[in-house]
Amino acid sequence: MTSIPELLSIMKEKQMVEEKDFLFARKILMDSEKGLEEEKRSIDEKYSKIIEEDYKQYKRTNDLLFDRIEKLKKAKSDKEARYEEKIIKFKGRISRWKETKRKNDEDLEVETGLQATGATGDCVF
């Protein structure tokens, strides 16, 4: 980008500005540059605020999503623990049922064996 002194030099060299208007042209250019710098600063501030607000919104959304994910993980873990507890109880019931069935089968075998031999288990004196 060309600086104001360089621009003034070019304007003087090409006789774009008369000598008597030189100071006026310089003032206009300096004021324009100052206005452009202020406008640039203002735009930078606006965009910085927009970016900051977008970041805050993103952070809030991200935090909410993270919290929700953590709650879902905990709920899943709790549910898995309950199912595991139910499975353990069910296995215990099945084991007790098998043991009872085995004892009943043994008792039936003994009873059937006694009936086949004629022994009833009654003591006759």
Side-chain angles (χ1 to χ4, degrees), residues 6 20 23 34 53 59 80 89 112 125:
E6 290 172 329
K20 64 179 180 149
L23 289 176
K34 185 178 177 184
E53 284 301 313
K59 180 111 173 75
E80 287 173 347
K89 286 180 182 178
T112 305
F125 293 102

Side-chain angles (χ1 to χ4, degrees), residues 44-58:
D44 286 347
E45 286 175 8
K46 286 178 186 176
Y47 281 116
S48 292
K49 286 179 183 177
I50 291 170
I51 290 169
E52 185 178 337
E53 284 301 313
D54 282 352
Y55 176 75
K56 286 178 183 176
Q57 182 61 37
Y58 163 79

Side-chain angles (χ1 to χ4, degrees), residues 7-8 10-18 21 25:
L7 186 57
L8 287 170
I10 292 169
M11 290 172 73
K12 199 174 197 182
E13 183 180 301
K14 297 200 180 218
Q15 298 178 350
M16 296 171 75
V17 176
E18 293 183 24
D21 297 326

Side-chain angles (χ1 to χ4, degrees), residues 29-43:
L29 289 172
M30 300 272 294
D31 289 346
S32 294
E33 183 178 51
K34 185 178 177 184
L36 287 173
E37 286 174 3
E38 287 176 15
E39 186 177 340
K40 182 182 179 283
R41 186 178 35 78
S42 174
I43 289 171

Side-chain angles (χ1 to χ4, degrees), residues 51-110:
I51 290 169
E52 185 178 337
E53 284 301 313
D54 282 352
Y55 176 75
K56 286 178 183 176
Q57 182 61 37
Y58 163 79
K59 180 111 173 75
R60 282 191 294 268
T61 302
N62 193 42
D63 289 347
L64 289 172
L65 288 173
F66 183 77
D67 288 345
R68 182 70 178 139
I69 288 168
E70 289 303 311
K71 286 178 184 175
L72 289 172
K73 283 181 181 178
K74 184 175 180 346
K76 180 183 175 196
S77 177
D78 291 348
K79 188 179 264 187
E80 287 173 347
R82 284 194 307 276
Y83 281 130
E84 187 174 342
E85 185 179 318
K86 286 181 181 183
I87 288 171
I88 290 169
K89 286 180 182 178
F90 187 66
K91 283 181 178 179
R93 288 173 63 191
I94 289 174
S95 293
R96 287 190 301 278
W97 178 79
K98 283 182 177 180
E99 183 62 27
T100 302
K101 185 174 179 339
R102 185 187 60 74
K103 284 181 182 178
N104 288 343
D105 287 349
E106 285 176 0
D107 290 347
L108 185 61
E109 263 182 49
V110 169

